[in-house]
Structure formats: C-alpha cells, structure tokens
Amino acid sequence: MSLGGKKPYREKKIDDQTFLREFSVEIEDSELEWHRDAEDREIEVVAGKNWKFQYDNCLPVVIEPGYKIIVEKNEWHRIIKGDTNLKVVVHK
C-alpha cells in the first residue's frame, strides 16, 4: 500500500480478522496511493476529520466516525488525507 514497502499506518491486532489502524495527519500524500486488497474488508471509521475515501471511477467522499466502507477483493481504492489523525477498524 505504500512506497518502498513501508506501510503508511500503525496497526494493532485485535483478533485474527480485526485490526485497529491509525494514519497520521503528518503522512505525505504520496504515501496514500491507489491500491487493491487481497481479500474483502469492512472498514469502520473511529476518528478523523475531513479524510476522504475514493473507489476507482468515483468521486471521493468524506468519511466521519461511524462511517462504514465495504471494499471487495481486488477493488481499486484510496484514502485522501484530512486534518487530524485517522483511526479505523478493519475487519478482514
């Protein structure tokens, strides 16, 4: 997901299929690149202000705490940096 193999987030494993991820507001925009995931995911936004999520061929949408995103396996998508750190729970 990131340039040079380094992930653009910190991650804490909750269980085998659930992870808490935090993206810093200090991250470079270039590190938030278009990507595809190897499995289906449900992502729930826990915290963050003015971050956006974008599917391929769609306009970006603002994501706020409580917002849920479904990403299917191999579906192109990306996030766009906001004004505060972004925290999400990822269910694989």
Side-chain angles (χ1 to χ4, degrees):
M1 179 166 153
S2 67
L3 302 174
K6 182 182 173 198
K7 295 181 179 176
Y9 53 82
R10 290 183 300 174
E11 182 174 84
K12 179 181 178 184
K13 184 176 181 177
I14 296 172
D15 61 39
D16 286 343
Q17 296 180 325
T18 309
F19 301 84
L20 176 64
R21 291 185 179 170
E22 182 173 2
F23 295 81
S24 172
V25 71
E26 301 297 324
I27 194 168
E28 295 293 327
D29 291 336
S30 63
E31 293 183 73
L32 300 173
E33 55 192 28
W34 286 97
H35 67 283
R36 296 183 294 178
D37 298 323
E39 66 275 320
D40 293 344
R41 301 177 175 212
E42 179 179 299
I43 302 162
E44 182 175 355
V45 179
V46 177
K49 183 177 179 184
N50 292 327
W51 285 76
K52 295 178 183 175
F53 180 87
Q54 185 175 16
Y55 292 106
D56 192 24
N57 295 316
C58 295
L59 293 173
V61 295
V62 174
I63 53 176
E64 299 175 338
Y67 194 92
K68 291 188 180 179
I69 303 160
I70 303 295
V71 178
E72 295 181 9
K73 177 181 177 178
N74 292 322
E75 184 173 39
W76 285 101
H77 62 281
R78 70 174 177 159
I79 57 173
I80 299 167
K81 187 168 71 171
D83 299 328
T84 63
N85 289 356
L86 174 67
K87 291 182 184 180
V88 296
V89 174
V90 178
H91 305 278
K92 296 183 181 183

